[in-house]
Structure formats: C-alpha cells, structure tokens
Amino acid sequence: MISTADRARAADILAHFRDAGAQMFEADVLQPAGALLDLYGEDIRARAFTTTDPIAGEMMLRPDFTVPIVQRHMASGAAPARYCYAGEIFRRQETDEGRPREYLQVGFELFDGGDPAAADAEVFALIADVLAPWSAVPATGDLGLLIAAVEGLGTSPERRAALRRHIWRPARFRRLMDRYSGAAPAPARAALLDRLTAETPEAIVAEAGQAVGQRSVTEVAARLAHLAQDAAQPPIHATEAQIINALLSLDAPLAEAIDPIRDMAADLPSLAPAANALAARADALARRGIDPAKLPFAPARGRSLMEYYDGFTFTFSAPNRPDLPPLATGGRYDALTAILGGGTGVPAVGGVVRPGLLKVLP
C-alpha cells in the first residue's frame, strides 16, 4: 500500500525535476509485453505480472517507465528533450516476501547527443541534489568500458557476441571468459568434446535415445557442431584476458581510475574512446561541483541493474543501511534508443528515485 506521505514526497521530487526543464510523461499502467520480451527474453516473466487481452495480446503491469518513454520519444522525431514521471511500478517477488510488489518511482530522462558527458553529469547531479537531505552515498560505474573491451578482443565474432550478451550476468560471463581463455573444461564437457572429435553430432544425438524438451534433433545436432567449432578456436590472448579481469576488479575513486584504464588501452586499443569518454565525464562532474577524487567508481558496477544500460551507471544508497535497496539508480542507454527507434538512435541517460525508501531514513 502506497501511503499519502510517499505520494507527497514523490510530488516534491517530481517538482524538482520539472524545475530542471523536464516535461511530464505518463505511461499506461498496462503495457504491451512484446517490446519487453524482445529486449530481455523470457527472463522478464520472472519479474513481471502478465495477462492476456483478447485484442491487444499479452500485456504486463508496468515494470518500468524507460521503455515506454523511449518508444514515445523515438516516434516523435527524437529531438533533444527532458522528461519526468512518477507512478507505480510492479515487480513479482517470488523469493523475498519482504520486498514490495508495487512501489512508486520518480524519474528523469534526458535525450541529447550534443554533449553526452555533460548530460551524464546533469542527471547525476540533479538526483544527488534531490537526495542531499538524506546524505545518500553515491557510486558510479561504466559498462561502456566492458563493452568496448569485449568488442576489441582478438577472438571470433561469435565469442565476442556471447560475452557481450552476458555482460549483465556476472557468473555466466566469468565462465565464458575462463573457457575462452583456455581453462580446462569440466569433465562432462571434456568427454563430450572428445566424442565430437571421433563422431558426428548426428551420430551422438541418435545414440542419446528419445528426444526430451522443446529443441528438435536438428537443433541439438547444430548445437553440438557449434561446440566443436568453438573448442577449435585459439584462446583469448593472455594480455587481453588480464585486461578484462582488471576492469572487473577495478574499484577506486573516479579520478584515480582514468590513468590505469588509459594504460590498458595501450594493449587493447578499443578501450581508448571509452577511456576518453570517462575522462570527459569526470571533467563534467567537476564543473557541477562533484569531486571525481571522492566519487567511488568501478567499471563493472551496474551489471545487476537494468540490462539496457550500456555506459555510465550510478546508484545512491542509504548511509549505514546495507539492508535497503538503492534509493536511486540510473545510467546511459544509447543502444536501447536504436533498438526501439528502428535502427536510428539518440544518446540518452536517466535515473529513478524510490521515494518510499526515504521514509525510513532520518
């Protein structure tokens, strides 16, 4: 149940965003499921309430505001714009009864490609200002660095695509990096790969007996052939693997992280543009009074947020309350605008505040 006090606090935050030049955006509570399923696959079903309309098809209770905002903005011609919104979102909580299934979200989104670093700094500073009375603790990341590093790896396009797809799934990404870097496969996998050197995929499938599951025999055989082809690929170069590991483990003030990342770019040149963008963001934040020497930064931070973030990410947490979710989260999602814009994108960044969490803070 959302209280009157929560709604009043949301209205105050929304007024702050409107004062920053944002126009009000409203989205239907019931959203078409198609776009979300296309973006995230069937995993979204585990977190969203779904239903079926006889005319509109599969629908979801609104799990997020960003996707409908991007759809509306790209359909309108994608001129520079600022939007704000406030309303309920809905998330299933099958593993934690204590977490709310319905809560308020107040957000600010900025679409403008003129100066992405300045846009990042504007959104971050605006939300920092909103949360200043609660002494919220900031932390930042940059998934664009990881994406750039993966795109520059000297390995097959298929391996790069797999790593890119699983950047937001840390355990799966780690397993893929270990495998592609030449780590010994698990015994069952090793035994299967040995068989593939002596038998055809079709023969192995035929020997397995009755098919179980939704994949056809042809699909299973194709998968086995792909495993054999992948196993024949040379491992990722040790230096490149070390750079990926260094990015995943780096955790330092933003000002101290820039030079080490530029050093990595000497061995992995695809990192250079992302490193320059990071430095530009640090300068833009400094111009808004945010000291990069005191701002926590880790490239991999934000991997557990929304999967459409592909650059700058940030969180604001409650001081001395590790039991609470972040008070605010946000980041850059340029690729999402291209996906929903039919191939034509525009740089975009935004963030959301959860006013319901603020009531438990002093």
Side-chain angles (χ1 to χ4, degrees):
M1 185 71 174
I2 296 173
S3 69
T4 301
D6 287 349
R7 294 192 184 279
R9 194 173 292 111
D12 289 342
I13 297 170
L14 188 65
H16 196 96
F17 291 164
R18 296 187 76 167
D19 289 344
Q23 57 182 292
M24 189 66 187
F25 173 85
E26 295 185 4
D28 292 338
V29 171
L30 204 58
Q31 290 286 317
L36 289 165
L37 290 172
D38 288 344
L39 286 168
Y40 308 126
E42 293 297 319
D43 290 350
I44 191 67
R45 293 187 189 279
R47 301 181 309 224
F49 293 97
T50 60
T51 186
T52 300
D53 182 274
I55 296 176
E58 190 170 21
M59 307 289 286
M60 287 184 180
L61 284 177
R62 186 174 59 212
D64 174 70
F65 273 91
T66 302
V67 169
I69 283 181
V70 172
Q71 289 173 318
R72 179 83 59 81
H73 181 77
M74 299 310 292
S76 70
R82 290 164 175 78
Y83 301 98
C84 61
Y85 52 87
E88 296 88 345
I89 65 168
F90 305 86
R91 301 283 177 86
R92 288 169 60 180
Q93 307 291 353
E94 295 183 348
T95 61
D96 187 347
E97 286 294 322
R99 299 186 68 177
R101 292 168 173 79
E102 174 186 356
Y103 55 87
L104 281 177
Q105 214 180 58
V106 187
F108 179 89
E109 313 288 339
L110 196 166
F111 294 79
D112 192 345
D115 188 342
D120 290 346
E122 177 182 342
V123 172
F124 182 86
L126 180 62
I127 292 181
D129 188 45
V130 163
L131 295 176
W134 292 274
S135 302
V137 179
T140 63
D142 192 339
L143 295 179
L145 289 162
L146 280 177
I147 293 170
V150 166
E151 293 298 333
L153 294 175
T155 188
S156 69
E158 292 77 15
R159 285 185 166 186
R160 288 196 297 271
L163 288 167
R164 170 71 185 267
R165 186 167 60 252
H166 292 292
I167 278 176
W168 297 271
R169 301 174 179 86
R172 177 63 173 162
F173 184 89
R174 180 72 271 167
R175 289 196 298 271
L176 287 175
M177 276 301 303
D178 288 345
R179 183 195 307 168
Y180 297 163
S181 300
R189 187 182 185 88
L192 177 59
L193 291 174
D194 284 343
R195 288 189 66 186
L196 284 167
T197 63
E199 303 177 62
T200 67
E202 291 76 12
I204 293 175
V205 172
E207 293 172 19
Q210 181 67 34
V212 178
Q214 296 183 349
R215 288 184 178 177
S216 68
V217 170
T218 301
E219 289 173 326
V220 174
R223 175 61 179 162
L224 290 176
H226 174 77
L227 291 177
Q229 293 168 359
D230 181 73
Q233 292 284 331
I236 290 174
H237 193 280
T239 298
E240 295 180 348
Q242 289 168 4
I243 290 172
I244 295 290
N245 290 334
L247 286 172
L248 292 175
S249 61
L250 179 61
D251 195 339
L254 175 56
E256 296 178 14
I258 296 170
D259 285 344
I261 293 172
R262 281 182 163 155
D263 289 342
M264 296 177 203
D267 292 311
L268 192 59
S270 64
L271 269 176
N276 291 337
L278 182 67
R281 186 183 308 129
D283 291 342
L285 288 165
R287 290 194 295 271
R288 287 190 173 267
I290 298 165
D291 188 355
K294 297 179 180 178
L295 186 60
F297 174 78
R301 186 173 284 120
R303 297 168 87 193
S304 61
L305 301 177
M306 301 301 287
E307 289 186 18
Y308 49 64
Y309 290 142
D310 57 5
F312 177 48
T313 62
F314 62 83
T315 61
F316 286 88
S317 301
N320 304 313
R321 290 298 304 270
D323 57 308
L324 290 179
L327 305 178
T329 60
R332 178 161 289 280
Y333 49 90
D334 296 352
L336 179 65
T337 69
I339 293 170
L340 297 179
T344 300
V346 59
V349 59
V352 297
V353 179
R354 289 183 57 174
L357 295 173
L358 301 177
K359 62 188 176 186
V360 302
L361 303 180

